[in-house]
Amino acid sequence: MNTVNQDRWSIQDALFQYQVKNWSDGYFSINEKGNICASAQKSFNEHIDLSDIIDEMKKRSIGFPCVIRFHDILRSQVKKLNELFSSTITQANFNGKYWGVYPIKVNQLREVVDEIVDIGSDYHYGLEAGSKAELMAALTFNTTNESLTILNGYKDKEYMKLSILGKKMGKNTVVVIEKLSEIYTLIEVVNQEQDCPMIGVRVKLSSKSGGKWAKSSGEKAKFGLTTSEVLELIDILNEKDLLHKLNLFHFHVGSQIPDIRSIKECINEGARIFCELKKLGAALTFFDVGGGVGLNYDGSRSNCNSSTNYTLEDYVADVVYILKDICDSTKTEHPHIVTETGRAISAYHSCVVTNVFGSIKNTKLQNIDTSIKPHEHRLVKFLKELATELNHSNYQDIYNDASLAKEDALSAFKLGVMDLKQKSLCERLFWNICSKIINMTKNEKFVPSQINKLRFEHADKYLCNFSVFQSTPDSWAISQILPIVPIRRLNEPPTNHVTLADITCDSDGAISNFLSPRGHKSTLLAHELNPNEDYLIGIFLTGAYQDIMGDMHNLFGRLNEVHVFSDKEDGFYIEEIIKGQTSADVLKIMQYNPQNMCDKIKKSLDKKVKTGDIKPKTAVAFTDFYEEIIHKYTYLN
Ligand SMILES: *Cc1c(COP(=O)(O)O)cnc(C)c1O
């Protein structure tokens, strides 16, 4: 019945506790030293010990928090997706090919896109942009001549003209019409430039995606044309003699789709519309199912919002077979398949490592004399009795009575019938009862919900050197679970139930939603902190959206980054270090001039020297200190 068997804790227990096999898809594990390791190149049969990477970072004076990127994982995911499609297509005797694109909004970092494009060139893998700036970036990458460059999002003339620039460079650009009026803008640009890119159309499906992004689907969605608008589009294109340019059929119903059933329904509905449009003479050759493949962030393999009840294999099979069935039954030529899979490509490749620099301990069990004194307040006496009677068979009752008594004590104090000392004694007695209940139920899997809440309220807070708003925005904004695991000491039993607090001055800057083998928990099981030893916590699967949606709350800014490649001989090497932002960097973004700031500080101190309030030596030392710090990393040193 114990959740944690203290004496016989093994690596297997750690793997189970943190559900590593379920969320990591084979990319992360725990080695015999009890450290988290990454296995980027399965063929090498070598695992990269994250602790070794951190030692190497230390040698090079790279501080925490930091992002570690595994470029091999990125490559491996691109390869996996493309090879899954090509093998499934062969198996299914499907006549089209796979023509995937990476939506760069998921992670626009140049090095990330570079890596994806590089490995993707084996598969004519292309890029998708959702804004002018993203398209301008996308056009600079060396994708192959066959690969697609897809333009999504709302568009103006400039954005559309960039597609023609792309075409002149030899790229297969596709302008996806997201709302009907865009076609008139496009026709204007086409007339001006006497050249036309491929045209795509995004349709609204009635089927719903489910999950946190359900609003991207259904008839009320922000993007896409209704069926009648698509018919109107076809008429307009026909009239302008451009119908032969309508080559791509597209829908995208949301991200992190939890349930395979909604995917099946969307493919089904999409394929039906596609076949009908073909009948109407549209030259559609690409069937673009958008993104949406979810990750098993919480390891539960369920259809809850932080998970999926399917694998990438299941997804690919559904896309290919459902499309094939419907095309065959309607005697429609098989199209090429495009996906805009983003999250599932880039999420695995990076993690954030932060150091715990302290903890806020909650009141621990105190020695309180529970013998009853005649002069004591009735409520004090009552709480002392409860404390004495408490045992494993009555803890719920005792807890209920004690909670009431504590509330009554507060009322009594407010009414002036209890003094501060007695009130404080009541509170201490109450917390002692709570501590005892938590201790006596520590190893139990199932406790009443109130006691569970008590555990949470009583949990220690580990203070972590990072910002939730910069590094894990989805955990703050949409309660997305991310796998969080201590980096080292996993061969020791973790004994502390803790929550994590970040260093922003915001009470929301905390994480209190964690995966566990038995569903989501408000606390993380972690180790006791050892004095003089860094306790390191890894936040995994942060490579999609988290990196780039992070904001400047409290001006912490971007993290130090190391880019890691696996290596046959040395296990790994750090290919690149990108220093995180300094205070000067983030202040400049907010329109400050760091040099002026230093001057101002100097002037103020000089004034104080003149008036004799401080010594010249002190002024110089502090001016230098300010100048030094402004050019250093924003996080705790
Ligand atoms: C965001 C987005 C994607 C990527 O979705 P994922 O869920 O990350 O795969 C693809 N296509 C469009 C149009 C998008 O807006």
Side-chain angles (χ1 to χ4, degrees), residues 106-385:
V106 180
N107 195 323
Q108 302 99 333
L109 192 74
R110 185 176 48 76
E111 287 86 344
V112 168
V113 184
D114 252 340
E115 210 62 60
I116 290 174
V117 166
D118 184 59
I119 181 80
S121 64
D122 295 350
Y123 312 97
H124 55 69
Y125 195 58
L127 295 172
E128 184 261 10
S131 68
K132 272 186 270 192
E134 283 187 358
L135 179 59
M136 287 164 85
L139 291 177
T140 62
F141 288 98
N142 277 329
T143 49
T144 61
N145 286 342
E146 300 89 65
S147 57
L148 299 174
T149 303
I150 297 182
L151 284 70
N152 285 330
Y154 290 136
K155 294 166 225 56
D156 60 7
K157 271 172 140 177
E158 290 170 349
Y159 191 4
M160 292 187 180
K161 189 168 165 183
L162 282 171
S163 76
I164 296 179
L165 166 66
K167 192 173 175 228
K168 305 275 185 217
M169 291 165 65
K171 292 189 185 286
N172 286 321
T173 47
V174 190
V175 174
V176 176
I177 302 299
E178 304 259 9
K179 65 181 169 90
L180 193 57
S181 62
E182 281 185 353
I183 193 58
Y184 298 108
T185 320
L186 181 64
I187 289 170
E188 257 184 76
V189 176
V190 167
N191 287 341
Q192 249 169 35
E193 304 303 326
Q194 291 297 303
D195 199 353
C196 185
M198 281 196 261
I199 302 174
V201 59
R202 175 164 174 179
V203 297
K204 279 182 185 161
L205 299 183
S206 311
S207 310
K208 291 266 166 69
S209 65
K212 293 273 184 191
W213 282 267
K215 282 205 290 281
S216 311
S217 57
E219 281 126 5
K220 298 273 180 334
K222 179 169 146 193
F223 292 112
L225 277 62
T226 61
T227 332
S228 61
E229 285 172 329
V230 178
L231 296 177
E232 215 180 319
L233 175 75
I234 289 184
D235 286 343
I236 298 166
L237 289 174
N238 217 350
E239 196 181 302
K240 302 282 176 195
D241 206 15
L242 284 172
L243 193 53
H244 63 286
K245 282 289 184 183
L246 184 60
N247 301 138
L248 180 137
F249 175 86
H250 172 52
F251 56 87
H252 169 75
V253 294
S255 202
Q256 183 65 23
I257 301 175
D259 192 346
I260 188 85
R261 263 202 345 214
S262 12
I263 291 177
K264 287 177 198 280
E265 280 168 23
C266 292
I267 306 290
N268 212 312
E269 187 186 346
R272 290 278 169 208
I273 304 175
F274 174 83
C275 294
E276 289 291 316
L277 295 180
K278 287 279 281 191
K279 272 194 211 152
L280 295 175
L284 295 167
T285 45
F286 293 100
F287 185 78
D288 174 358
V289 299
V293 181
L295 256 73
N296 228 311
Y297 288 102
D298 70 357
S300 70
R301 296 179 171 155
S302 70
N303 63 353
C304 87
N305 288 342
S306 289
S307 192
T308 61
N309 61 4
Y310 58 92
T311 60
L312 193 59
E313 284 83 352
D314 300 333
Y315 171 80
V316 170
D318 272 345
V319 173
V320 175
Y321 281 97
I322 295 175
L323 180 60
K324 177 183 150 71
D325 279 353
I326 292 177
C327 286
D328 288 350
S329 71
T330 55
K331 304 214 162 38
T332 311
E333 202 183 316
H334 297 171
H336 297 306
I337 295 172
V338 179
T339 74
E340 302 174 349
T341 312
R343 183 185 297 272
I345 290 292
S346 74
Y348 295 100
H349 91 280
S350 85
C351 60
V352 172
V353 179
T354 165
N355 56 319
V356 176
F357 64 92
S359 65
I360 301 175
K361 296 256 177 203
N362 268 303
T363 33
K364 287 281 170 266
L365 209 55
Q366 302 174 340
N367 258 334
I368 305 178
D369 178 11
T370 50
S371 63
I372 290 167
K373 316 266 174 350
H375 63 275
E376 279 172 330
H377 193 280
R378 180 182 60 79
L379 288 168
V380 175
K381 286 182 187 159
F382 182 52
L383 279 161
K384 283 188 171 179
E385 277 166 22

Side-chain angles (χ1 to χ4, degrees), residues 424-437:
S424 148
L425 184 54
C426 281
E427 282 167 2
R428 281 164 49 218
L429 282 163
F430 172 73
W431 286 116
N432 244 20
I433 291 171
C434 293
S435 297
K436 279 187 185 154
I437 295 175

